[in-house]
Amino acid sequence: MDLKSGLPFWLIKNGLAKDYDTLDENTETEVLIIGSGITGALVAHFLCEAGVKCVIADKRMASTGSTTASTAQLQYEIDVYLHELIEIIGEEKAAKAYKMCLESIFTLQKIIGQMGIDGEFEMKSCLNLASDKTGANTLRREYKARKKHGLPCELLDKKQLKEKFNIDRELALYNDCSAIIDTFKLCTQILEYHKKKSGLKVYSHTEIVSIEHKRNGIVALTQKGNSIKAKKVVAAPGYESENLLDEKVMRLHSTYVLVSKPIKEATFWNEKCLIWETARPYIYIRSTADNRVMVGGFDEPFYDPKRRDKLMARKNSYILKRFHKLFPDIQIETDFYWCGTFGETKDGLPFIGEHENHPNMYFALGYGGNGITFSVIAAEIIRDLYLGKKTETELFAFGR
Ligand SMILES: Cc1cc2nc3c(=O)[nH]c(=O)nc-3n(C[C@H](O)[C@H](O)[C@H](O)COP(=O)(O)OP(=O)(O)OC[C@H]3O[C@@H](n4cnc5c(N)ncnc54)[C@H](O)[C@@H]3O)c2cc1C
């Protein structure tokens, strides 16, 4: 699958990471992880910390799938608002999903600290702006639902928004429990950390083309004809799950991102908070560690790389225009832009755990705008499943 085009900022900023060998012999391990993106890396982290021997196989150069294209905003609020999710899956489950997302941000902060890496993790505040009257009503309903379930948020009115952020909008939801990272850097740091500390083996350019399910495990075959024998296999293939799962669980979309030239510190909006809006298509905004503005959005509801790429320059100008409308006093110029594919599920929640047709296999499919928080949740659940511990198996189950 063609996951992205253009110049993803993270690859330029960090340069290509260390590459790993391609598997050229048969091997054996406890857990085989398919995919070396942020999901595979986090799954490896939690399993390695529990003393489980892992091998990661990736068909690309390590960590160069969607993880390099991400804008990497960590928010507990998912694509589907809490009050809408309550209508789809019920109050208790919806609140639980939101709380797990909130918790996952602090979990990530904690494990980054424990590993002594940084991944440019930084806690941030976040504004969800009402784009119009309907948006304002949506946010009022959302505020009630979040408050009821003890989720951190404040409602800011027009005056407060103007005074504090110099933003001219009717209403916004505000929280100070969000974060930003450099996902590509974090991902490659985790792989290197566990390669050294836990003997994690990573193979790049090693595609898994088939999985044979045995009574006590699996045997995976690579495109070069080598086998990997394991007790369990974790599928963390990002949006390329079609060869590993006999079920369609998401719809693919295209999305666009630009990164500005660095701007002066004093030019930024207050708190350099994350910003997104109720409008569809929306834009979402963050800053980078070197004082650039990163703006994404203007999604299109299709997967068609040629069509997607043709729109890239036009989308860049739409995004710039929308940014300048919001912040007429902050002039930015594009330095990099790219586009990517992402997947969305009906209820905005990921698919994590076992599937009845795939014994000895766990899935970590963190689809949606909050894929990275879902990666953290998936990694913890899969570790618990492997260790036979009680864990969340219903909320993100297939066939729910
Ligand atoms: C433009 C854009 C902006 C985004 N912004 C955000 C955001 O702000 N916040 C957020 O939380 N999320 C965001 N996301 C989503 C987030 O980036 C993804 O959820 C996350 O990167 C997915 O990581 P992954 O490891 O699951 O997938 P990937 O990074 O794609 O890794 C999967 C890997 O599996 C490998 N693979 C697949 N099939 C096989 C096979 N058969 N054999 C071997 N290897 C295989 C691939 O080569 C790939 O490297 C964004 C996504 C995009 C595209």
Side-chain angles (χ1 to χ4, degrees), residues 159-177:
K159 190 163 165 263
Q160 290 167 310
L161 269 174
K162 189 71 190 165
E163 277 173 10
K164 201 165 174 196
F165 296 98
N166 197 21
I167 289 176
D168 209 5
R169 289 284 174 89
E170 188 74 25
L171 203 75
L173 271 185
Y174 172 88
N175 76 70
D176 59 1
C177 297

Side-chain angles (χ1 to χ4, degrees), residues 9 258-263 268 288 291-295 320 331-336:
F9 171 63
L258 71 80
V259 170
S260 76
K261 293 177 183 163
I263 59 171
F268 273 97
T288 65
N291 275 350
R292 295 165 189 272
V293 179
M294 183 178 280
V295 198
L320 262 184
Q331 284 309 306
I332 59 168
E333 284 174 70
T334 304
D335 221 358
F336 306 95

Side-chain angles (χ1 to χ4, degrees), residues 75-79 98 126 128 146 173 175 178 276 370:
Q75 292 166 240
Y76 78 78
E77 38 211 348
I78 66 170
D79 292 337
Y98 261 69
C126 178
N128 184 192
R146 289 202 203 163
L173 271 185
N175 76 70
S178 306
W276 61 301
N370 292 52

Side-chain angles (χ1 to χ4, degrees), residues 3 34-40 57-75 183 206-209 236-240 243-244 255-257 284 338-342 364 366-373 375:
L3 291 173
I34 303 173
S36 65
I38 190 64
T39 312
D58 199 302
K59 66 183 187 182
R60 293 187 171 79
M61 193 175 160
S63 315
T64 58
S66 305
T67 291
T68 53
S70 188
T71 49
Q73 305 185 178
L74 308 182
Q75 292 166 240
T183 328
T206 301
E207 181 171 5
I208 302 300
V209 291
Y239 306 125
E240 297 171 306
N243 297 330
L244 299 167
T255 187
Y256 300 83
V257 186
Y284 46 96
W338 67 93
C339 58
T341 290
F342 76 99
Y367 301 139
N370 292 52
I372 301 164
T373 49
S375 303

Side-chain angles (χ1 to χ4, degrees), residues 35-55:
S36 65
I38 190 64
T39 312
L42 285 166
V43 170
H45 168 75
F46 282 103
L47 286 172
C48 286
E49 286 297 309
V52 180
K53 290 282 164 223
C54 299
V55 163

Side-chain angles (χ1 to χ4, degrees), residues 239-292:
Y239 306 125
E240 297 171 306
S241 59
E242 70 279 1
N243 297 330
L244 299 167
L245 179 68
D246 50 12
E247 190 181 330
K248 197 167 179 246
V249 289
M250 49 137 183
R251 271 198 325 244
L252 291 173
H253 299 261
S254 302
T255 187
Y256 300 83
V257 186
L258 71 80
V259 170
S260 76
K261 293 177 183 163
I263 59 171
K264 292 212 172 79
E265 178 73 31
T267 322
F268 273 97
W269 58 95
N270 203 10
E271 298 177 16
K272 289 186 187 168
C273 60
L274 311 185
I275 298 173
W276 61 301
E277 35 176 20
T278 57
R280 295 294 182 271
Y282 58 48
I283 55 164
Y284 46 96
I285 308 170
R286 60 165 279 186
S287 56
T288 65
D290 59 347
N291 275 350
R292 295 165 189 272

